[in-house]
Amino acid sequence: MKDDFSNNVAQPPPRIPDHRLLRRIGKGSYGEVWLARGVTGALRAVKIVRRCDFDDEHTFEREFEGIRKFEPVSRSHRGLVQVLHIGRNDEESFYYYVMELGDDALGDSPAHEVEYEPRTLRGDVLRRGRLPVAECVAVGEVLADALRYLHG
């Protein structure tokens, strides 16, 4: 999914310290994910979670506490996305977290800011059709092990 500010983004992205937001690459119930370039030149994913997207303050704070607790654990298992930094801007009512960039749907080469598209299971099925059973089992094993690790 290629998306940018001119395509279906309700509000401009906030300024994120030490990162230049390039384009939106995902959107869900609890925020938007942006492709960003950090001050070192590395491409990262930045999720922006705004207070206005929640019915109440408690739910917003609960989600913040969840990511705060997940951050130190995130770098300790291969099945978890690595959260590299968490930030918060209470004046503008949002928090954000910087993550490693997911695999590129277009191949194994390093991500490029213009062509990058996040790899998802849905995208794999749309591109390739039904996935081989062995591949599904391998993905399921990694996910199950990551859940086991989190609950341990």
Side-chain angles (χ1 to χ4, degrees), residues 32-48:
E32 297 177 337
V33 179
W34 287 75
L35 179 64
R37 186 167 300 283
V39 294
T40 64
L43 289 175
R44 300 287 186 225
V46 176
K47 182 159 187 180
I48 300 166

Side-chain angles (χ1 to χ4, degrees), residues 3-4 8 13 15 25-26 36 44 46 63 69-70 74 81-82 85-86 99-100 103 107 124-125 129 138 148 152:
D3 197 0
D4 61 23
N8 199 20
R15 292 183 48 85
I25 57 174
R44 300 287 186 225
V46 176
E63 292 299 312
K69 289 177 182 176
F70 178 72
S74 71
V81 66
Q82 293 183 19
H85 176 77
I86 299 172
M99 301 171 280
E100 65 174 335
D103 293 341
D124 283 356
V125 170
R148 178 206 51 80

Side-chain angles (χ1 to χ4, degrees), residues 13-25 33-46 48 96 98 101 112-114:
R15 292 183 48 85
I16 303 298
D18 297 325
H19 290 83
R20 182 169 48 99
L21 300 182
L22 303 171
R23 63 185 167 83
R24 191 175 77 173
I25 57 174
V33 179
W34 287 75
L35 179 64
R37 186 167 300 283
V39 294
T40 64
L43 289 175
R44 300 287 186 225
V46 176
I48 300 166
Y96 65 93
V98 179
L101 199 58
H112 184 274
E113 69 183 61
V114 174

Side-chain angles (χ1 to χ4, degrees), residues 11 18 92 95 113 115 142 148:
Q11 32 189 320
D18 297 325
E92 295 183 36
Y95 66 88
E113 69 183 61
E115 290 126 11
V142 170
R148 178 206 51 80

Side-chain angles (χ1 to χ4, degrees), residues 55-111:
D55 290 335
D56 60 64
E57 185 76 21
H58 172 75
T59 308
F60 177 75
E61 292 299 331
R62 183 190 68 209
E63 292 299 312
F64 178 77
E65 283 305 307
I67 198 64
R68 189 183 65 76
K69 289 177 182 176
F70 178 72
E71 182 264 334
V73 175
S74 71
R75 293 179 297 279
S76 60
H77 189 279
R78 71 183 182 103
L80 303 175
V81 66
Q82 293 183 19
V83 174
L84 306 171
H85 176 77
I86 299 172
R88 186 170 176 134
N89 183 325
D90 288 328
E91 287 178 12
E92 295 183 36
S93 300
F94 74 89
Y95 66 88
Y96 65 93
Y97 47 102
V98 179
M99 301 171 280
E100 65 174 335
L101 199 58
D103 293 341
D104 192 332
L106 302 177
D108 295 331
S109 61

